[in-house]
Amino acid sequence: MSADVYTVINPATAAPVTHVHLASVAETDAAIEAAQAAFPAWRAMPPGERATLLRRFAAVVDAHVDELAELEVRNAGHTWGNARWEAGNVRDCLNYYAGAPERLFGRQIPVAGGVDVTFHEPLGVVGIIVPWNFPMPIAGWGFAPALAAGNTVVLKPAELTPLTAIRLGELALEAGLPEHVLTIIPGKGSVVGERFVTHPLVRKVCFTGSTEVGKRIMAGCAEQVKRVTLELGGKSSNIVFADADIDAAAASAPYAVFDNAGQDCCARSRILVERSAYDEFLGKLQTAVEGLRVLDPSDESSEMGPLISAQQKRTVTGYLDEVEVAFAGSTPGGDGFWVPPSVVTVDDPATGIWREEVFGPVVAVMPFDDEADAVAKANDTKYGLSGSIFTSDLGRGLRVARAVEAGNLSVNSHSSVRYWTPFGGYKQSGLGRELGPDAPMAFTEEKNVFIAH
């Protein structure tokens, strides 16, 4: 075994939680080869039996929701409300995709001289690389549809947040999934993640993380023409028109960007406000931000916790050091990696804090003049993941939603993710889609068979 060990830190207190072994290349190869060996039997399992095992896995996760949530509160600094939702999301994804094995339908296509049919067949071993910001849900978004489609999975959690993934792997075995069908392998991205890319037995890589790393993974997968799904960065806009319910828009805006301390690729970290409502909105936003309950996540009333690490805190405060903060909320202080929820006002769209993904509790606000100006400013970014539009005009809401270049948009809401609807980004925010009814198909090859009369 590799001698590498990582010390997991509680980000609210900066105190050690536990130590986790990091896999070597040899250990990664062994896990991939074991997953390949388990693949034929898992693929050949009758669809109804595979579905039953996934439902049983969901039931075991449901019985351990509070345990998984407590792990995430300590390991990732998530609030209790978020952590319970995240564990429940894994359960719900498993239940939803448990319906897929019996519904991986092919087609019969009319042809002359015979019968033509198509089949959806699993790829084999799928490598899933999970980030530290939402360790449980993003793991489930990958492994639930991949397993449902008949693949085996090796999953690398982020070094910073491996604990819930490790526990989910144990719960899968407890539920009766065959050994090596779902393997959790903590390790460095440069070791385990890189081996997913280079190992020929891994037939697809799913990666959620930064755009920069995603580009390297995509380039590496090209060497073997290996399939890849990428969910990458975001710099999403929250567009508020003057005819909107300004009270509701201002009250909800903090939760759209400061949830998970802003460590969310869907965070609405740019707020565009129609000029005639700009001052009113800012005043009400200040009240909402200053009222946000930023507490140690062990307090169940906390609405925002700490950043994940000292490095992330340095990155975020580096951005704040370059601008004047208009107003901010509070933090409990102490040794944790705390940054207050902060609002800056911006006039120049070239400003770094307006253009770059800060990945912290920081939101920039800019006025716009009309609908065309709002759309132009929203689209002036290399990203295109999510966004919101607040207006009382349904026609305008639809027009702007169609005009904004992003994969997930909400009108008079900040909802980005439902496990039964597709999720993914435009431009440099990603490649492919996760979730929704078609997700298992992304883990299959489509085979065409012609049978002559």
Side-chain angles (χ1 to χ4, degrees):
M1 288 180 63
S2 159
D4 284 352
V5 172
Y6 180 78
T7 301
V8 176
I9 300 295
N10 182 334
T13 63
V17 175
T18 190
H19 305 287
V20 172
H21 170 72
L22 300 179
S24 65
V25 171
E27 289 168 311
T28 306
D29 284 354
I32 292 168
E33 289 158 12
Q36 176 65 29
F39 170 60
W42 181 247
R43 170 184 176 158
M45 183 179 288
E49 292 182 22
R50 198 186 312 139
T52 296
L53 282 175
L54 292 177
R55 291 190 184 97
R56 195 176 297 158
F57 187 8
V60 173
V61 171
D62 187 51
H64 292 81
V65 162
D66 279 352
E67 176 198 343
L68 289 164
E70 192 275 335
L71 274 178
E72 210 69 290
V73 169
R74 282 193 293 131
N75 187 177
H78 289 192
T79 63
W80 267 99
N82 278 12
R84 286 195 182 100
W85 178 89
E86 290 156 19
N89 187 257
V90 176
R91 171 203 62 215
D92 294 344
C93 279
L94 284 164
N95 273 324
Y96 180 68
Y97 290 112
E102 297 150 305
R103 295 171 177 82
L104 285 173
F105 304 130
R107 296 179 293 177
Q108 182 270 313
I109 301 172
V111 296
V115 175
D116 197 274
V117 293
T118 65
F119 300 90
H120 288 281
E121 299 183 346
L123 301 171
V125 178
V126 174
I128 299 175
I129 303 171
V130 176
W132 49 257
N133 59 329
F134 290 107
M136 280 192 284
I138 293 174
W141 300 356
F143 68 61
L147 294 173
N151 303 278
T152 55
V153 170
V154 285
L155 183 147
K156 189 197 89 66
E159 293 164 66
L160 292 168
T161 55
L163 300 186
T164 48
I166 292 169
R167 187 64 181 129
L168 285 168
E170 295 168 350
L171 296 178
L173 293 173
E174 185 178 317
L177 266 70
E179 194 173 8
H180 307 305
V181 165
L182 174 61
T183 303
I184 310 301
I185 181 163
K188 295 177 181 178
S190 58
V191 177
V192 178
E194 178 68 19
R195 196 63 181 123
F196 288 178
V197 172
T198 60
H199 199 299
L201 290 180
V202 176
R203 300 295 300 276
K204 177 171 182 174
V205 174
C206 299
F207 171 78
T208 301
S210 73
T211 296
E212 290 67 31
V213 174
K215 289 177 181 178
R216 295 202 296 272
I217 287 173
M218 188 175 179
C221 287
E223 291 294 319
Q224 298 174 24
V225 196
K226 184 176 297 191
R227 292 183 176 218
V228 61
T229 295
L230 303 173
E231 198 278 283
L232 307 175
K235 193 66 179 174
S236 301
S237 292
N238 176 9
I239 305 171
V240 181
F241 287 92
D243 66 355
D245 182 337
I246 300 298
D247 287 331
S252 65
Y255 300 96
V257 64
F258 300 141
D259 183 60
N260 200 28
Q263 300 167 125
D264 180 356
C265 47
C266 289
R268 276 68 164 170
S269 56
R270 301 187 300 163
I271 304 179
L272 288 159
V273 186
E274 192 163 5
R275 200 173 296 276
S276 61
Y278 183 78
D279 290 339
E280 178 189 2
F281 178 87
L282 272 182
K284 291 176 176 177
L285 178 64
Q286 181 169 359
T287 300
V289 169
E290 291 175 350
L292 198 69
R293 293 191 294 275
V294 183
L295 304 168
D296 188 301
S298 62
D299 186 326
E300 294 222 15
S301 69
S302 176
E303 295 179 303
M304 188 188 110
L307 293 171
I308 189 64
S309 66
Q311 176 57 51
Q312 192 64 18
K313 179 178 178 179
R314 285 192 294 271
T315 298
V316 173
T317 53
Y319 279 101
L320 290 172
D321 289 343
E322 296 175 357
V323 295
E324 183 176 341
V325 174
F327 50 87
S330 60
T331 73
D335 293 330
F337 312 126
W338 297 95
V339 171
S342 303
V343 177
V344 302
T345 56
V346 176
D347 294 317
D348 181 2
T351 305
I353 210 164
W354 180 257
R355 302 200 68 80
E356 298 167 23
E357 187 176 35
V358 177
F359 226 60
V362 179
V363 66
V365 188
M366 180 184 290
F368 67 85
D369 295 313
D370 55 25
E371 188 176 309
D373 187 36
V375 169
K377 285 176 174 172
N379 287 339
D380 183 22
T381 172
K382 66 182 180 181
Y383 298 112
L385 186 57
S386 196
S388 302
I389 301 141
F390 278 76
T391 177
S392 62
D393 182 337
L394 177 58
R396 169 183 278 159
L398 287 170
R399 281 195 309 274
V400 175
R402 294 301 303 273
V404 172
E405 297 165 346
N408 309 272
L409 290 159
S410 298
V411 179
N412 297 325
S413 163
H414 297 298
S415 175
S416 291
V417 176
R418 294 177 178 82
Y419 57 83
W420 61 97
T421 60
F423 176 77
Y426 281 32
K427 300 189 280 190
Q428 294 190 35
S429 281
L431 185 70
R433 292 294 180 269
E434 297 177 300
L435 302 175
D438 298 328
M441 299 302 188
F443 294 96
T444 65
E445 294 279 12
E446 187 173 24
K447 178 178 285 183
N448 188 75
V449 176
F450 170 72
I451 306 166
H453 283 157

